[in-house]
Amino acid sequence: EAMATGLPIVATRVSGSSILLELPAAGLVVDVGDMKRLAAAMALLLQDEPMRTQFGKNARQAFETHFSLDSLASCILSLYAQLLAIRTLPGNP
């Protein structure tokens, strides 16, 4: 949700959050339970407007590329096309 709105993110390293945020440089990721680093990451983003702005732009772009309605619909249509192609191969019922 934060990525969709173009907000920079501070998250803990769970369930793939690091992949979502670190590759497009959309936010900062800290280890679960590391409250000092969590606070430091939040403070860094509050103090560094250029970083905040760039992370927000990167987050929005990553969302558009991977999670927007158009992107998801395109992936589903591609999957259906692949499945239909396999289904129509000779020898498949």
Side-chain angles (χ1 to χ4, degrees), residues 2-93:
M3 291 176 85
T5 61
L7 292 173
I9 301 162
V10 175
T12 55
R13 195 175 313 281
V14 294
S15 302
S17 60
S18 60
I19 294 169
L20 286 174
L21 300 178
E22 291 172 346
L23 291 179
L28 301 171
V29 181
V30 299
D31 290 329
V32 174
D34 192 341
M35 296 303 174
K36 286 185 180 183
R37 285 199 182 213
L38 181 63
M42 286 191 237
L44 176 62
L45 280 180
L46 285 171
Q47 296 167 4
D48 192 333
E49 184 175 355
M51 179 186 283
R52 225 177 27 244
T53 300
Q54 189 60 54
F55 280 3
K57 287 178 184 177
N58 293 349
R60 179 65 187 175
Q61 181 61 45
F63 171 81
E64 286 295 325
T65 301
H66 301 291
F67 304 109
S68 69
L69 184 56
D70 288 342
S71 174
L72 293 176
S74 177
C75 288
I76 291 169
L77 288 173
S78 176
L79 174 62
Y80 285 161
Q82 291 172 23
L83 292 173
L84 287 172
I86 291 169
R87 175 99 170 132
T88 59
L89 288 175
N92 283 336

